[in-house]
Amino acid sequence: KTFLSIDEDLIRKKILDKNPCLINLSFDKKLPDKIVLKIEERIPAFLIRQTKITQSLSLKYIEATSSSDSAKFVSITDLIKDSTPSGNFIVDKTGFVFSDQEKTDLPELKVFYDDLKIGSNFNLGQIQKIEEILEQVKKLEIQMGSLNLTGDSLIIDGVPKLIFSLKKDTSSQVASLQLILEKAKMNLVG
């Protein structure tokens, strides 16, 4: 074959299939005999710590309401009775799982199921919702610890411990949290 008849689509597919950390690959032919590859790498968003549940979870919480009078502080004790780590994966902002290497400078999210593997997709809606929640919680200057995803709930182990529903509106949950925190401050002062 000649230089000009290279099947770029086939080469692109083979390289991307063997290197899931790449999101795109393009070719730039430089005559007479050079090809320059332009590579676009995936940007890591979360380190997913996949955990296999070996016992049932005991999760007790009360959701925040729009009224701070009826809201109660979240108390989570013994969330995980017994669980076994089963793998670490890095996902990008689209939820694509592209690496099984540990990267410590990423937010860590513990998940409780077994079907993640390189090349699979983590729930994009959940990734976007978690990023939105974390952005809002950071604005409140709340100390955050570990992040745990159980079903459709994000549990932030910090001071205070928080539970957010990934199915509900983030803004209203954060507004309820602000009311709760303000009421707690008033109760401490008064």
Side-chain angles (χ1 to χ4, degrees):
K1 289 187 171 185
T2 68
F3 170 74
L4 298 173
S5 65
I6 291 174
D7 187 346
E8 291 179 18
D9 290 335
L10 178 64
I11 293 171
R12 180 181 298 106
K13 181 176 178 359
K14 285 183 178 183
I15 291 174
L16 291 176
D17 286 349
K18 289 185 179 189
N19 298 283
C21 60
L22 303 178
I23 195 167
N24 198 11
L25 175 71
S26 62
F27 297 84
D28 190 12
K29 294 179 181 175
K30 302 283 185 185
L31 295 176
D33 61 355
K34 292 183 182 175
I35 297 178
V36 176
L37 296 177
K38 294 180 182 173
I39 297 171
E40 183 182 351
E41 292 181 294
R42 294 185 182 278
I43 299 170
F46 286 96
L47 172 65
I48 303 291
R49 292 203 186 277
Q50 183 172 262
T51 301
K52 182 183 264 185
I53 299 172
T54 54
Q55 284 187 16
S56 63
L57 292 179
S58 173
L59 176 62
K60 297 176 184 175
Y61 66 93
I62 298 173
E63 292 180 9
T65 64
S66 58
S67 168
S68 63
D69 291 334
S70 61
K72 297 181 182 176
F73 287 101
V74 173
S75 174
I76 302 171
T77 56
D78 300 325
L79 173 64
I80 303 165
K81 294 292 184 191
D82 187 24
S83 62
T84 307
S86 61
N88 296 324
F89 298 94
I90 297 176
V91 298
D92 65 7
K93 288 184 180 260
T94 68
F96 186 79
V97 180
F98 68 91
S99 176
D100 60 359
Q101 296 180 357
E102 206 163 309
K103 193 168 181 139
T104 58
D105 61 336
L106 294 172
E108 294 180 15
L109 179 63
K110 189 181 238 182
V111 298
F112 300 98
Y113 48 90
D114 289 332
D115 57 353
L116 285 181
K117 61 184 178 205
I118 294 176
S120 66
N121 285 304
F122 192 78
N123 185 313
L124 173 60
Q126 287 184 328
I127 290 289
Q128 291 172 334
K129 192 74 166 185
I130 291 166
E131 285 183 323
E132 181 183 348
I133 289 168
L134 294 179
E135 184 179 309
Q136 294 295 318
V137 170
K138 283 179 187 174
K139 289 179 185 176
L140 297 175
E141 298 179 3
I142 293 175
Q143 178 185 354
M144 289 190 285
S146 65
L147 307 173
N148 299 287
L149 180 64
T150 59
D152 289 318
S153 296
L154 175 66
I155 302 157
I156 302 174
D157 187 21
V159 179
K161 293 183 183 191
L162 307 169
I163 296 178
F164 286 90
S165 171
L166 299 181
K167 289 188 171 186
K168 295 185 179 179
D169 179 61
T170 301
S171 297
S172 62
Q173 292 180 83
V174 170
S176 294
L177 175 60
Q178 286 176 307
L179 288 171
I180 293 166
L181 293 173
E182 287 301 319
K183 180 152 184 156
K185 284 180 188 176
M186 289 187 301
N187 288 342
L188 287 175
V189 173

